[in-house]
Each structure stands twice: as C-alpha cells, then as structure tokens.
Amino acid sequence: DGGITQSPKYLFRKEGQNVTLSCEQNLNHDAMYWYRQDPGQGLRLIYYSQIVNDFQKGDIAEGYSVSREKKESFPLTVTSAQKNPTAFYLCASRHTGGWGIYNEQFFGPGTRLTVL
Amino acid sequence: QKEVEQNSGPLSVPEGAIASLNCTYSDRGSQSFFWYRQYSGKSPELIMFIYSNGDKEDGRFTAQLNKASQYVSLLIRDSQPSDSATYLCAVTEGRGSTLGRLYFGRGTQLTVWP
C-alpha cells in the first residue's frame, strides 16, 4: 500500500529535550511538508522541501529543524528552543509533475507531541 | 503573508439540509483551491479541488469558485451526521507546480444533527 507514515503516534517530551518526528512516504512524491496544528486552529507550515537536499522555512520555523537526505524521508526535529511545542504535527507530500496544475497534498496520520 | 479566511462557525444543520461553507483569499494570483475534511483527532483528507471559475460537482459536494471576488465555497447537499467534521480551505500562492506551498484557513466546524 502506498502512503505516508508518521511515527510515533504519541510523543512526550521533557523540558529541554530535543525530539525527532519521523515521516516516510512511498508515493514517490518529490515534495514534502511539515505542519503544526493547535486546538481550534488551521495548519501552520513549519518547513517544506521540493527536492532532496533542499528545504525552505515556512511561517513558524523557529525552534525546528529538518533534513531531506532521501526522497522518501523528511524528519522533523523539535529543539529545546521551541518554547511551546505541544501540538499535533502533520506531515504531507505531493507529486510535483504536471505543469500548471498544483497536485493535492496527501497527509500522514500525525504525531501528537506533549511537553511534560 | 497570504490570508485565507473561512466563516468562523461552528455551523450546525439538520440532517438532510444543505451546508454552506465559505472561504475568501487575499492573493489574486492564486490558481488552485482545495477543500479538506478533518475529523476530530485525525489528519485532513481531500474532498474537492477546483481550478476554474464556476461550479464543480462530485456526488453530494459542490465547490464554487469566483476568482474575481476571490471567493470559494463548498456546498454539502443532503447533509449526513457523518459529515460532521472541520472543513479546511486551502489555496496555492500562484500558478504552476514549482510553487510549493498551500495556505490554509482556520477551518469551519460543521455539526449535522439527526
């Protein structure tokens, strides 16, 4: 089955710790995205990557870091510099082919991060 | 920063009624528009996309786009309790597959009561 997997489903972090959220896709998509969602809020873009070894900051990149060493993987690290990291984190990917058409983003199941 | 505004809700309709969800956007260059449905605690799933002015129908769902007014809407006919969810409007920043991101509204929570 093709799809996007995120792990873990739930993650608990102590103050001052860095944690890494995993996102893997086997859809052969070029572009991948990380969003943060807080209760009652829409999706806010953290980082995105359109090709391997390249990524761009979104609207709320401070306190986060990413890497894109492989096409199918786009891990997100939540660093201790992120002061309020408790949120629902969503990874997405999309196919970038088809000039003039913006293909849909497919979402993984999400990781719920809680700071203790 | 591109703005995407949705009717704040929550929206409550009886089963069988038409639910109307609205979205306005600030970027006149936006070319592609998406409606995602998100059940509580789950990730968003795409239910409709539209690129051209006018209406696009898919089953009980109709998306309407008016680029001159910078307005996109979603109508859900014969609403069912299973339609109860938050609906997110998403808009691209311009034409072409090289432009990478979507801008999302905050969502409208819909409740369909039996």
Side-chain angles (χ1 to χ4, degrees):
Chain A
D1 277 340
I4 304 173
T5 57
Q6 291 186 243
S7 62
K9 186 173 182 179
Y10 298 97
L11 183 59
F12 298 91
R13 191 193 93 168
K14 294 182 180 178
E15 296 271 358
Q17 275 186 337
N18 292 354
V19 292
T20 298
L21 283 58
S22 170
C23 178
E24 303 277 333
Q25 54 96 3
N26 62 4
L27 300 167
N28 199 34
H29 287 171
D30 292 298
M32 298 186 73
Y33 306 80
W34 273 106
Y35 294 92
R36 168 179 173 148
Q37 187 174 37
D38 294 281
Q41 302 293 313
L43 305 182
R44 292 189 289 168
L45 184 64
I46 304 172
Y47 270 98
Y48 65 107
S49 167
Q50 302 212 82
I51 56 173
V52 174
N53 293 322
D54 187 48
F55 47 82
Q56 290 78 41
K57 291 182 179 180
D59 301 321
I60 55 165
E62 185 174 351
Y64 300 97
S65 66
V66 293
S67 63
R68 187 83 187 278
E69 297 176 0
K70 299 187 295 182
K71 186 176 184 178
E72 57 270 23
S73 179
F74 191 39
L76 173 74
T77 296
V78 184
T79 75
S80 57
Q82 171 50 239
K83 296 306 179 188
N84 186 22
T86 294
F88 188 42
Y89 289 85
L90 288 158
C91 179
S93 72
R94 77 177 182 102
H95 175 55
T96 57
W99 188 87
I101 297 294
Y102 190 98
N103 300 304
E104 68 171 287
Q105 291 186 17
F106 291 88
F107 285 86
T111 292
R112 197 166 297 278
L113 173 63
T114 302
V115 173
L116 300 174
Chain B
Q1 177 71 16
K2 317 297 183 184
E3 298 289 335
V4 179
E5 300 285 343
Q6 296 185 239
N7 43 339
S8 57
L11 179 64
S12 182
V13 301
E15 185 174 356
I18 296 175
S20 177
L21 304 162
N22 303 316
C23 176
T24 59
Y25 58 95
S26 64
D27 185 359
R28 283 198 171 275
S30 296
Q31 296 291 329
S32 303
F33 307 86
F34 302 85
W35 283 99
Y36 284 86
R37 177 177 63 199
Q38 186 177 25
Y39 292 114
S40 181
K42 303 296 185 183
S43 59
E45 57 177 328
L46 183 75
I47 53 171
M48 288 288 286
F49 63 89
I50 187 166
Y51 303 132
S52 303
N53 277 329
D55 294 358
K56 179 182 179 182
E57 187 173 318
D58 184 3
R60 296 185 296 111
F61 299 98
T62 299
Q64 300 174 316
L65 175 61
N66 184 328
K67 290 183 181 178
S69 300
Q70 295 174 242
Y71 174 88
V72 59
S73 67
L74 179 70
L75 298 178
I76 306 175
R77 292 182 301 282
D78 188 24
S79 295
Q80 302 296 310
S82 59
D83 295 326
S84 298
T86 296
Y87 289 80
L88 300 170
C89 173
V91 174
T92 60
E93 62 184 333
R95 187 187 296 275
S97 63
T98 58
L99 294 172
R101 63 169 297 173
L102 288 177
Y103 292 89
F104 283 83
R106 291 192 170 201
T108 298
Q109 184 177 341
L110 171 66
T111 299
V112 181
W113 45 276

